[in-house]
Amino acid sequence: MKRGSISIVGAGPGDPELITVKALRRIQSADVILYDRLVNEELLGYAKSDVLRIYCGKAPGLHSMPQESTQQLMINYAAAGCHVVRLKGGDPFVFGRGGEEALEAAAAGIPYEVIPGITSAVGAAASAGIPLTHRGLAASFAIVTGSRCHDQDSPVRWDALAHSVDTLVIYMGVSKLGEICDQLLKHGKDPLTPIALIENGTTVRERTVTGTLGSIGKLAAAMRISNPAIIIIGEVVKVREELLSLEKTVRSQIG
Ligand code: SAH
């Protein structure tokens, strides 16, 4: 019997062209693809015609397939000799539970690999014209989850983040935007700190709203920004405004 294997693959942030060559090759050779909600389904079009496609997506609050069942399917198909691609939005090791899946594959003695993807912070920031680091403005950035505002066991250290990191990028945070801003303000962050929300970054449905820590709550509510979206906080958000204003000036000079 042919030996099965597992590829834990990052599909990139949304734009189907932002996938690596290696990831695309694994999609093309897969027998089974277990894919998540944030994966652009256009990518499945590259698979073999007889590939088995299994949706394992989770909408916030709704679990269509528990993580344990997904992992079990992944192991079972690989043990039966299939090349299984576990396709995940962004990068598998950034809030993607890819670590758990790698551990499961290793424990089952199944050959596996992890193929990185462009994580949504990096993809959306590039698309919105916000450099995560910028000479003179930011020399560090942190990627943080916004979904653990009330987690007693592993709370996010908003006090430390408010002062020790130049750019904060928050995943899974739009529904907690008010609490996140409150935490940062409480720990001394300036209410005038620039902030951007990027919804559906890198896709044709991308929308960006910018404001300040003090003003963004109302703006986001008025624009009904919802998931998937990332929050970027820091002086680097100003670079987007600068780019837009330069582009406007050049357009008016040409036209
Ligand atoms: N592994 C993924 C993250 C999964 S967690 C990655 O590396 O990108 C899910 C969160 O990712 C969402 O709540 C949202 O904050 C962010 N996200 C995913 N795709 C996004 C996109 N196209 N635009 C903005 N945020 C996105």
Side-chain angles (χ1 to χ4, degrees):
M1 192 175 75
K2 119 178 138 140
R3 197 152 180 234
S5 63
I6 296 171
S7 302
I8 302 170
V9 175
D15 175 349
E17 287 193 294
L18 289 177
I19 189 166
T20 64
V21 174
K22 196 166 192 171
L24 197 61
R25 289 200 176 129
R26 294 302 183 274
I27 292 175
Q28 287 167 332
S29 63
D31 300 311
V32 180
I33 300 181
L34 296 161
Y35 65 102
D36 281 352
R37 187 175 62 95
L38 291 171
V39 166
N40 190 318
E41 291 202 21
E42 242 181 271
L43 291 169
L44 302 176
Y46 291 99
K48 293 189 291 197
S49 56
D50 60 347
V51 71
L52 180 60
R53 296 158 46 149
I54 303 173
Y55 178 70
C56 317
K58 305 173 190 68
L62 299 169
H63 287 239
S64 78
M65 187 184 287
Q67 177 70 14
E68 295 68 34
S69 315
T70 304
Q71 287 176 192
Q72 201 53 57
L73 277 177
M74 180 183 86
I75 299 294
N76 290 350
Y77 279 112
C82 296
H83 173 217
V84 178
V85 165
R86 177 72 182 100
L87 192 59
K88 309 167 87 72
D91 181 84
F93 277 3
V94 179
F95 300 127
R97 305 191 75 169
E100 291 159 58
E101 292 165 8
L103 285 167
E104 198 72 21
I110 291 170
Y112 73 94
E113 64 180 346
V114 180
I115 300 178
I118 295 179
T119 192
S120 47
V122 171
S127 189
I130 302 172
L132 296 176
T133 65
H134 192 76
R135 194 172 283 267
L137 290 184
S140 60
F141 70 88
I143 286 178
V144 183
T145 173
S147 68
R148 292 202 197 129
C149 277
H150 303 296
D151 192 328
Q152 301 297 331
D153 299 329
S154 55
V156 171
R157 293 283 314 275
W158 296 110
D159 52 340
L161 290 169
H163 298 290
S164 56
V165 179
D166 297 324
T167 306
L168 290 175
V169 188
I170 300 162
Y171 288 51
M172 296 171 278
V174 241
S175 62
K176 303 263 168 57
L177 181 64
E179 290 165 62
I180 292 166
C181 293
D182 287 350
Q183 282 291 329
L184 291 170
L185 292 169
K186 187 174 108 186
H187 293 293
K189 200 100 182 152
D190 185 342
L192 294 177
T193 307
I195 174 168
L197 307 187
I198 309 165
E199 179 190 76
N200 287 310
T202 78
T203 74
V204 287
R205 289 165 291 129
E206 176 172 317
R207 291 196 300 160
T208 300
V209 51
T210 56
T212 62
L213 263 191
S215 71
I216 196 72
K218 280 193 181 136
L219 292 169
M223 282 184 68
R224 294 175 189 275
I225 298 289
S226 62
N227 254 312
I230 56 157
I231 305 170
I232 302 182
I233 302 173
E235 294 303 314
V236 288
V237 172
K238 287 182 181 160
V239 177
R240 171 184 164 83
E241 316 300 334
E242 206 179 323
L243 285 169
L244 291 176
S245 111
L246 283 169
E247 286 165 17
K248 202 170 152 195
T249 312
V250 170
R251 265 199 311 273
S252 70
Q253 282 165 354
I254 296 170

